[in-house]
Amino acid sequence: MTAKAIRIGQIVPSSNTTMETEIPQILRLREMVEPERFTFHSSRMRMKKVTKSELEAMDKDSDRCVLELSDASMDVIGYASVSEKRLEKVTAENDHSAPVVTSAGALIHGLQTLNARKIAVIAPYMRPLTELVIDYIQDQGVEVIDSISLEIPDNLEVGRQNPMALCKIVQDLKIDGADAVVLSACVQMPSFPAIREVENSIQLPVVSAAVCTAFQMLQKLNLKTFVPGGGMLLSGKY
């Protein structure tokens, strides 16, 4: 008898094309070695340019998205922002309570799991937004010793980046003294195919917002976090 599929909900910015590809890719790899099976369901919020004002406007629409997803009784819901407690409250009030994993919170959780106190970061954003991300990370007790901003304002263009290009970009990142590297601080910038190669190259744990989101989703579901090809965080080698 086939087990009931686990329902993964995702609240996705309207111009995001990577959340619905990388996180399923990660969990499909897990299906090759573990018995659980997953289905993926999305609700979208308008957002075209990655700016502080558009991100704030987008977040106001997330309550509608999480309500729509909870109508279909998700097992866990991922969101490309913060606000997990507020969104979990919406699911509970809709009688389909589900844990909400945010990419920002999951990134911090992943770094804490690796005991990473000093990190280096690559982000696709314009520099002012990268600085806001760095401030958030450092407010959580993790020091950012270096960062690279790719200065890509168009969110669709972010999603078109070649993930393997990060193998070269990371060479310009100052990693002396770092405990880990964040290869992509944004769930829209593809990076998963490069995680293992960059780890082998720099001999440090390497994560991304998507990897950390998948990791915390599996934890919330009380499932093994092992994913083949997922790097140190998803292999338990930390």
Side-chain angles (χ1 to χ4, degrees):
M1 181 177 178
T2 303
K4 183 184 77 169
I6 296 166
R7 294 172 182 164
I8 307 293
Q10 296 196 90
I11 303 173
V12 183
S14 59
S15 56
N16 187 298
T17 54
T18 306
M19 282 182 69
E20 293 156 310
T21 53
E22 278 209 343
I23 289 175
Q25 178 187 9
I26 292 168
L27 296 180
R28 291 294 182 220
L29 283 172
R30 188 186 181 280
E31 289 180 340
M32 297 171 63
V33 295
E34 298 292 345
E36 293 84 14
R37 296 296 177 262
F38 303 92
T39 61
F40 301 92
H41 314 272
S42 300
S43 182
R44 307 180 84 79
M45 316 162 285
R46 291 299 305 279
M47 195 275 285
K48 296 175 73 175
K49 301 291 183 182
V50 190
T51 63
K52 186 174 183 289
S53 60
E54 283 211 29
L55 289 169
E56 288 173 348
M58 176 193 78
D59 189 54
K60 292 177 182 177
D61 211 18
S62 61
D63 284 30
R64 172 190 59 79
C65 292
V66 81
L67 186 63
E68 290 174 358
L69 287 168
S70 69
D71 282 345
S73 189
M74 296 294 109
D75 294 296
V76 67
I77 297 171
Y79 178 39
S81 185
V82 289
S83 314
E84 59 262 38
K85 295 301 180 187
R86 189 189 81 231
L87 297 178
E88 285 176 352
K89 185 172 183 288
V90 174
T91 69
E93 290 173 347
N94 198 35
D95 296 324
H96 291 290
S97 182
V100 175
V101 173
T102 66
S103 58
L107 180 60
I108 298 300
H109 176 69
L111 293 170
Q112 290 172 340
T113 300
L114 293 167
N115 295 313
R117 298 184 180 182
K118 295 183 178 183
I119 65 168
V121 176
I122 299 173
Y125 312 126
M126 304 301 286
R127 190 69 211 177
L129 187 54
T130 299
E131 291 294 340
L132 289 176
V133 172
I134 290 171
D135 288 345
Y136 172 78
I137 292 171
Q138 296 198 140
D139 283 346
Q140 308 305 309
V142 180
E143 181 183 350
V144 178
I145 62 174
D146 192 32
S147 65
I148 292 175
S149 294
L150 300 183
E151 303 272 352
I152 307 170
D154 187 298
N155 205 37
L156 280 175
E157 190 61 30
V158 171
R160 294 189 183 104
Q161 298 303 296
N162 178 359
M164 300 313 293
L166 291 165
C167 297
K168 183 176 181 180
I169 293 168
V170 77
Q171 295 173 13
D172 295 324
L173 201 61
K174 298 179 180 66
I175 61 173
D176 287 347
D179 301 309
V181 166
V182 177
L183 201 59
S184 173
C186 171
V187 287
Q188 168 69 334
M189 186 168 74
S191 63
F192 183 67
I195 293 284
R196 181 62 65 82
E197 183 170 330
V198 173
E199 276 190 342
N200 290 339
S201 173
I202 67 175
Q203 294 297 297
L204 285 174
V206 175
V207 297
S208 68
V211 162
C212 291
T213 298
F215 176 77
Q216 193 171 29
M217 279 181 169
L218 290 170
Q219 285 193 325
K220 293 283 188 181
L221 292 165
N222 296 312
L223 298 177
K224 292 180 185 177
T225 55
F226 175 72
V227 173
M232 292 186 193
L233 183 65
L234 286 170
S235 67
K237 296 177 181 178
Y238 49 83

